[in-house]
Amino acid sequence: MHCNGKCHLMKELAKASDAENPKSSDKKGSIQPTEVLFFEEIKSLSEFAKNLGLEVLLEVHNEEELQKAIMPSLNMIGVNNRNLKTFEVSLTYSKELANIIPNEFVKISESGISNIEDVKELQQFGYQGFLIGENFMKTDNAGKAAMEFISKL
């Protein structure tokens, strides 16, 4: 997992959340459906992060994940345009989920953005942030490529 040095913070958030909410981490407790754990873990961690003064971005891949995850402790919802089963990348994922994401959340489109036209098109769907990495990493100078890209916006 690549997380630019933030893995430690994520692990600490998880540990602190478990310490404050032992029921969620109690392996000897009752078996809970994945849907409940998913929601409860997101709720617990996002509330904990908010209490630390952090803004919270949650990444989703489809409508089912989005519907389970919408809660007031999130600031941003990121839509990953990469299908993690097939690794196919399509901006269609962001376009399809755009109208379902409530307006109180900042919309972030992640992956598969390779040109200015993609950004401008996604902005028409209400996206305000864009995760662009691979496009720049393919160049000899990622920083310079990113600056040139941004200057064209």
Side-chain angles (χ1 to χ4, degrees), residues 34-80:
T34 304
E35 298 87 7
V36 173
L37 286 176
F38 180 76
F39 177 84
E40 289 301 323
E41 288 173 339
I42 292 170
K43 184 176 186 297
S44 176
L45 287 171
S46 62
E47 287 174 352
F48 185 75
K50 282 284 240 202
N51 287 334
L52 293 175
L54 300 173
E55 292 193 23
V56 182
L57 164 66
L58 180 74
E59 178 179 285
V60 299
H61 299 89
N62 55 50
E63 184 176 354
E64 181 183 0
E65 289 179 4
L66 175 63
Q67 294 300 341
K68 289 181 197 175
I70 293 174
M71 60 191 71
S73 52
L74 303 176
N75 302 93
M76 301 167 275
I77 295 181
V79 177
N80 190 330

Side-chain angles (χ1 to χ4, degrees), residues 89-104:
V89 177
S90 173
L91 298 182
T92 303
Y93 296 111
S94 282
K95 294 174 189 177
E96 288 176 351
L97 294 179
N99 290 328
I100 303 169
I101 299 171
N103 289 332
E104 64 262 24

Side-chain angles (χ1 to χ4, degrees), residues 107-110 113 118-119 122-123 127-132:
K107 296 176 189 172
I108 311 290
S109 184
E110 305 171 350
I113 301 164
D118 291 341
V119 171
L122 289 164
Q123 284 175 326
Y127 286 92
Q128 299 167 280
F130 308 93
L131 178 74
I132 308 169

